[in-house]
Amino acid sequence: MPAEFRFKALLDLRRQQRDEAGAALGQVNEAVAKVNTQIDEIESERVALRDTRDVNRQGNVSVDALLAHGRYDLQLQADIGSLESTVAELTAEMDKRRVKLVEAEAELKRFEKLKENDEAEFRALESKREHAEADEVSTRRYTLQRQRYTLQRQR
């Protein structure tokens, strides 16, 4: 049974940090997806607004209605612009969190490699000890047989 890894607490901490970095990246991904969904919804609303405006231009045209549609369309464009800047900020944050995740993963791999090396060293030492014990038993058995043989020949 191998000895406990001397840096087990640090290994567990690194795993936890990696998991937290992954979760943080997932949260930003979800936020970007949500904002992109909002942008798509506003774009759909703008298309619907254009379609109703085109229908309203036939026959009697109300200047007030055209101005209201125009203002609403401008507001929707401004909302899209605001959401796109939010996406840009979130994308920058996502890149930062991705870098943190990569760093956390690399640090975890260092400790896992150290653990593997310790286990391999332990197995090598254990094997060496077992071979030494087997050699000792074999040597004693041979010595004992040799002594018995010598005693039998003397009789």
Side-chain angles (χ1 to χ4, degrees):
M1 179 164 137
E4 184 157 342
F5 180 51
R6 61 187 168 190
F7 298 116
K8 183 180 183 324
L10 284 174
L11 178 65
D12 293 341
L13 179 65
R14 296 298 184 246
R15 280 191 181 121
Q16 181 182 356
Q17 288 173 338
R18 189 250 348 241
D19 294 345
E20 288 171 359
L25 180 61
Q27 289 173 341
V28 172
N29 272 334
E30 288 176 17
V32 167
K34 226 180 237 187
V35 173
N36 282 331
T37 301
Q38 290 175 341
I39 290 172
D40 291 343
E41 288 171 358
I42 293 173
E43 288 289 349
S44 305
E45 196 170 334
R46 284 189 70 210
V47 167
L49 181 66
R50 273 187 234 120
D51 291 345
T52 59
R53 185 174 49 195
D54 291 341
V55 169
N56 288 341
R57 286 192 178 170
Q58 298 170 355
N60 292 334
V61 177
S62 169
V63 175
D64 290 334
L66 285 175
L67 287 174
H69 274 41
R71 277 191 231 110
Y72 186 58
D73 189 42
L74 287 174
Q75 181 59 47
L76 291 177
Q77 287 177 7
D79 290 347
I80 289 173
S82 173
L83 289 172
E84 286 174 345
S85 69
T86 302
V87 167
E89 291 171 9
L90 287 172
T91 301
E93 181 64 26
M94 186 171 21
D95 291 340
K96 289 178 190 174
R97 290 183 184 191
R98 187 174 288 120
V99 167
K100 283 185 181 180
L101 177 60
V102 168
E103 290 171 354
E105 189 68 39
E107 189 68 21
L108 176 62
K109 284 185 182 188
R110 281 188 209 109
F111 276 94
E112 286 175 341
K113 186 66 174 171
L114 184 60
K115 181 180 179 185
E116 288 173 12
N117 290 343
D118 277 3
E119 288 173 350
E121 183 180 343
F122 177 81
R123 284 191 301 272
L125 288 173
E126 192 68 18
S127 176
K128 185 176 180 181
R129 185 187 61 76
E130 288 173 0
H131 279 80
E133 284 179 12
D135 287 347
E136 179 67 26
V137 167
S138 177
T139 301
R140 285 186 183 184
R141 189 176 294 147
Y142 174 75
T143 305
L144 192 61
Q145 286 176 352
R146 183 95 170 139
Q147 287 173 352
R148 284 182 188 156
Y149 178 72
T150 306
L151 285 174
Q152 285 177 355
R153 287 190 84 212
Q154 287 178 356
R155 290 186 188 172

